[in-house]
Amino acid sequence: MGLTTKRGLHGDVSTRWNSTFQMLDEVLLYRKAFDNFGNLESNYRDCPTKEEWAKIEKITIFFKPFYDITKELSGSKYSTSNLYFQNVVHNHMILNDGSLFGGDFMLNMVCAMREKFNKYWENYSLILSVAAIFDPRFKLEIIEWAYEEIYGDDKKLIDEAIDCVRSALRQLYNEYKSMPKEQRSSLTCDDEGVEDPFTKWMKRKNPSTNDKSELD
């Protein structure tokens, strides 16, 4: 049947959404085997139809970025606090990309995901944005990019959100400055050179950006 994969099949685990993605992603590799088995075995009546295979493929494509983001944020050998913000914004971009789901069977699910995203974004966007700004690769430019993605052309909302972050940064800095020197610590970050949506935005905005550090 021309199967070249050595990956096995995974079962679904109801408490782990990524297991659902793995199950669907891997079953697509064995589509020919399932179809062939359905043709040979009359008692096998659960083989997906052509329309169901198409749905499985569409769901898998939609959830692949979420799976990749989950893996990145689950890392234990590198700092992840600075990665949450841009990945959460990337989630927002996916949930608003109509080309991935259109008005079909996935629409209700995506609407529920958007609602949950908005709930958590309102509660946690500030602390996540501050953590991202402390990454010297990003600094304040990342929140400009992010709020443009989230709020679109609503300049008033964008400016208010950026001002809120600036205020939080000043408060943190004042607290840090008031600490005894022996209690202060420095943070480092490894630049992995990942080409993410924010990096692409920065290249379009500043095509000739150099490596000189700037203080905002």
Side-chain angles (χ1 to χ4, degrees):
M1 288 179 288
L3 296 177
T4 57
T5 182
K6 294 183 179 180
R7 291 167 59 182
L9 293 170
H10 280 72
D12 187 22
V13 180
S14 60
T15 55
R16 297 180 58 195
W17 80 265
N18 54 323
S19 70
T20 305
F21 167 80
Q22 288 178 300
M23 177 186 68
L24 296 177
D25 185 47
E26 288 161 357
V27 80
L28 286 172
L29 300 174
Y30 290 90
R31 176 176 177 174
K32 288 183 179 179
F34 281 108
D35 286 340
N36 188 59
F37 186 63
N39 292 331
L40 296 175
E41 178 55 63
S42 59
N43 290 325
Y44 178 53
R45 302 175 181 176
D46 296 322
C47 184
T49 64
K50 183 177 180 180
E51 291 74 20
E52 288 171 336
W53 280 119
K55 288 183 177 181
I56 292 172
E57 187 172 359
K58 196 164 189 177
I59 291 172
T60 304
I61 292 171
F62 177 76
F63 276 114
K64 179 65 163 62
F66 293 98
Y67 176 76
D68 292 339
I69 289 170
T70 300
K71 283 186 64 178
E72 182 177 14
L73 297 182
S74 299
S76 59
K77 296 184 179 180
Y78 52 87
S79 174
T80 59
S81 59
N82 57 310
L83 303 176
Y84 277 87
F85 187 71
Q86 62 173 326
N87 279 308
V88 167
V89 177
H90 190 196
N91 283 347
H92 174 271
M93 295 167 67
I94 296 169
L95 292 175
N96 286 274
D97 185 355
S99 66
L100 295 176
F101 53 86
D104 61 7
F105 68 99
M106 295 172 58
L107 185 58
N108 289 337
M109 176 190 69
V110 173
C111 288
M113 293 174 69
R114 283 180 186 163
E115 185 177 346
K116 184 158 288 190
F117 174 92
N118 292 333
K119 172 187 173 182
Y120 288 105
W121 174 259
E122 186 174 336
N123 292 334
Y124 296 106
S125 61
L126 179 60
I127 188 64
L128 294 179
S129 63
V130 170
I133 289 169
F134 284 155
D135 188 324
R137 298 171 299 171
F138 303 149
K139 298 186 283 189
L140 284 166
E141 282 88 352
I142 195 168
I143 63 171
E144 182 182 344
W145 161 75
Y147 291 131
E148 284 180 7
E149 291 290 344
I150 299 293
Y151 300 123
D153 297 328
D154 195 329
K155 192 174 185 305
K156 183 174 182 294
L157 271 179
I158 294 173
D159 291 342
E160 287 177 352
I162 292 175
D163 287 343
C164 182
V165 175
R166 287 178 183 272
S167 177
L169 283 171
R170 292 190 189 97
Q171 183 179 349
L172 283 172
Y173 174 74
N174 289 334
E175 287 186 25
Y176 174 79
K177 190 169 65 169
S178 66
M179 293 169 57
K181 288 185 177 180
E182 58 270 17
Q183 293 184 16
R184 300 178 185 178
S185 61
S186 60
L187 301 176
T188 60
C189 178
D190 295 327
D191 187 350
E192 299 179 358
V194 179
E195 187 76 347
D196 51 62
F198 169 69
T199 302
K200 294 176 183 178
W201 178 84
M202 280 292 290
K203 286 182 178 179
R204 290 197 304 269
K205 182 184 177 187
N206 301 309
S208 60
T209 300
N210 56 36
D211 295 330
K212 184 178 180 180
S213 175
E214 296 180 358
L215 295 177
D216 184 88

